[in-house]
Amino acid sequence: MRSARVAWRHSLRFRLALVYTLVALALISMIGLGVMTLLLRQMDSQFQTRLNERADTLAEAFLGGGQNLGKSPGGAGTYTMIIDEKGQVLAATPSLRQYEKAPFPFAGQAEVQLNGSPARTATRKLGDFGTLWMALPEDALVDARQSATRALLLALLVTPVLMLIAGWWVGRRALADLGAAADLADRIDPTRSVATLPLPAREDEVHRLLAALNRLLVRIEAVQAREKQLLGQIVHELGAPLTVLKASLTRASERTHDPEVMRAALVADELTFTAQDLMQLARGHLEMKVAWHFIPAVALRGRLDRLVPGTGFAGDWGGMLLCDPDRLTQALRNLLANARRAAGPDGTVTLNLTETADHVTFTVRDSGPGLPAELGERIFEPFISGSGSSGLGLSVARQIARLHGGALTAGNAAEGGAEFVLTLPGAALGDDEEEAAPAEAAPSA
């Protein structure tokens, strides 16, 4: 049996990898934003400190009379202007000469645009002479902000992909033992001895889970053993009384030819087969022996008519059948009994026989509600029933069909109700096959 594979989007390792990736992404985002914010604040603080230091140096140089502001004493990239008490620009660096002898244009602005670049400003009092205004370009600070933002965005885009791949690989290795155990569990046949799952070398959560499953399997096997033992004891206790009852009813029917006694004898005969089937089931598998006979189809019809009164028969019953009469009667009786239960006392049950050169087909139809769609093929499993019965009859019927080289299928008829089709190989055999079939067949159970 091939083990079922879980779709990748539903697999545990994918979910673990996805959760791991989302958690890692959230942590990286928070940590990255925090680090970038702290870094940019430090850079901003350093820039402001540098601006203040330059402003203080220029003010000291002017008051000391040892510098010429028109020659940019603050260094390259520094903008300076001297403003008098009336707000007029007295002097400026060469790049700002257009503002000289004019009103100061940047009053109260902490940041300005100069020559297409942002610049931060600072002012210093020059005693009674006026005010020193200075601006320092922020190009480097802006570039640093943009670089940090791009780096964070790239990390947020690349990291989830790498995390997902790494998490998938790590999860695959970590859950490899669990996957192997699942594959082995798929191959366990519950009708035989329940095998335990291999435990991984690492005593982790997977080891603990598989160990718990092994203990559960051992308990299940013990319960199954007790159930089989109890079923075997019950069948054994029923076997002897049924054998005596069958023999007594058979002798009584031969003496009296009473129809009711003959019907009771057939029922006792069927119960004997059912008890034997239950015994085989108690041993862990359903095995039956087939005794081949060449019988008229009408004889089979007579037995079924006595076992399930009210059955309607259709088709051609004038031919011959190669089968085990007792077993085939048991299979068809099970189908007809289930159909009668489903149809109710006022419903109809029909058994149709059609024969070709290759196949003999029995079709059982009823006027009941039909088969539950959710059961599907499970309706042929032991103790699964859609009509209120014990659930063993359909399983036995399919087994009998297969022992005859045929098949049993179930469905719902187009006009309503359930439909069971039992197909057997045709009786057109060669001389050698006709002689070999009885010789190879086992005696009737």
Side-chain angles (χ1 to χ4, degrees):
M1 174 176 158
R2 186 177 178 181
S3 60
R5 295 297 178 183
V6 179
W8 64 269
R9 62 184 179 279
H10 299 310
S11 66
L12 177 59
R13 60 173 174 263
F14 174 75
R15 295 202 302 270
L16 289 175
L18 184 60
V19 171
Y20 172 70
T21 299
L22 293 177
V23 172
L25 180 61
L27 292 176
I28 291 174
S29 300
M30 291 187 294
I31 294 174
L33 287 173
V35 171
M36 188 177 74
T37 301
L38 180 61
L39 178 62
L40 292 178
R41 284 182 179 178
Q42 290 179 348
M43 294 175 63
D44 188 85
S45 177
Q46 292 176 358
F47 185 87
Q48 188 65 42
T49 300
R50 178 185 171 196
L51 176 65
N52 292 332
E53 289 177 351
R54 286 202 176 186
D56 293 339
T57 300
L58 287 174
E60 292 174 1
F62 180 83
L63 293 174
Q67 294 288 348
N68 184 346
L69 294 177
K71 293 184 180 180
S72 302
T78 303
Y79 302 99
T80 58
M81 285 190 289
I82 302 297
I83 302 100
D84 61 13
E85 297 294 336
K86 296 180 181 181
Q88 295 291 319
V89 178
L90 300 178
T93 52
S95 59
L96 300 179
R97 285 290 168 80
Q98 69 270 25
Y99 298 112
E100 288 185 352
K101 311 305 180 182
F104 179 60
F106 306 122
Q109 298 184 28
E111 294 188 0
V112 297
Q113 287 286 333
L114 297 175
N115 297 326
S117 299
R120 192 176 302 184
T121 65
T123 58
R124 293 292 185 272
K125 294 295 291 183
L126 299 177
D128 297 333
F129 184 76
T131 302
L132 169 67
W133 178 88
M134 193 201 82
L136 191 61
E138 292 183 312
D139 293 342
L141 185 60
V142 171
D143 291 341
R145 288 174 179 169
Q146 293 177 349
S147 298
T149 302
R150 286 194 297 268
L152 180 60
L153 291 177
L154 181 62
L156 294 180
L157 291 175
V158 175
T159 300
V161 178
L162 297 179
M163 289 289 184
L164 187 61
I165 295 174
W168 177 269
W169 183 80
V170 172
R172 184 175 182 178
R173 289 182 59 87
L175 299 177
D177 295 327
L178 192 58
D183 291 339
L184 178 61
D186 280 337
R187 296 193 296 269
I188 292 178
D189 184 359
T191 63
R192 302 182 182 275
S193 178
V194 179
T196 56
L197 304 175
L199 299 179
R202 299 182 305 275
E203 295 187 4
D204 53 8
E205 288 80 0
V206 175
H207 184 284
R208 180 182 176 187
L209 173 62
L210 296 181
L213 289 177
N214 282 341
R215 292 192 293 270
L216 177 61
L217 289 173
V218 171
R219 293 196 296 271
I220 291 175
E221 188 172 17
V223 171
Q224 288 179 342
R226 288 195 297 270
E227 290 176 349
K228 291 177 181 179
Q229 183 180 10
L230 177 61
L231 182 58
Q233 291 174 350
I234 293 174
V235 174
H236 180 73
E237 294 297 326
L238 290 175
L242 282 175
T243 302
V244 174
L245 178 63
K246 174 184 174 182
S248 300
L249 289 172
T250 300
R251 288 193 298 271
S253 65
E254 292 174 351
R255 290 195 307 269
T256 64
H257 300 287
D258 187 330
E260 293 297 330
V261 176
M262 296 175 66
R263 181 182 173 190
L266 289 173
V267 173
D269 190 44
E270 181 191 1
L271 287 175
T272 302
F273 281 121
T274 302
Q276 293 172 355
D277 295 338
L278 287 173
M279 178 62 75
Q280 295 295 336
L281 183 65
R283 294 171 182 171
H285 52 87
L286 193 59
E287 293 181 354
M288 292 178 286
K289 300 182 185 300
V290 177
W292 296 95
H293 295 277
F294 203 54
I295 65 170
V298 69
L300 177 66
R301 171 177 170 171
R303 298 182 70 177
L304 294 173
D305 191 25
R306 291 190 297 271
L307 285 172
V308 189
T311 300
F313 295 92
D316 182 12
W317 292 85
M320 300 293 291
L321 299 175
L322 179 63
C323 63
D324 182 327
D326 295 330
R327 290 302 185 184
L328 186 56
T329 300
Q330 181 183 4
L332 292 174
R333 185 267 170 194
N334 288 347
L335 298 179
L336 292 172
N338 280 349
R340 173 53 61 194
R341 278 190 291 268
D346 298 327
T348 60
V349 176
T350 304
L351 174 59
N352 183 67
L353 172 61
T354 58
E355 184 175 2
T356 64
D358 298 323
H359 296 97
V360 176
T361 303
F362 297 90
T363 303
V364 177
R365 291 178 184 156
D366 63 61
S367 59
L371 299 177
E374 64 274 8
L375 287 181
E377 282 293 303
R378 292 181 60 244
I379 200 168
F380 292 109
E381 296 178 7
F383 308 115
I384 300 295
S385 173
S387 60
S389 63
S390 65
L392 189 60
L394 292 180
S395 176
V396 172
R398 171 170 275 190
Q399 185 73 4
I400 291 173
R402 289 176 174 174
L403 287 173
H404 282 76
L408 175 62
T409 60
N412 289 319
E415 60 273 15
E419 179 180 85
F420 289 87
V421 179
L422 192 155
T423 304
L424 302 180
L429 303 176
D431 294 339
D432 295 339
E433 292 177 342
E434 290 179 357
E435 294 174 0
E440 295 177 358
S444 178

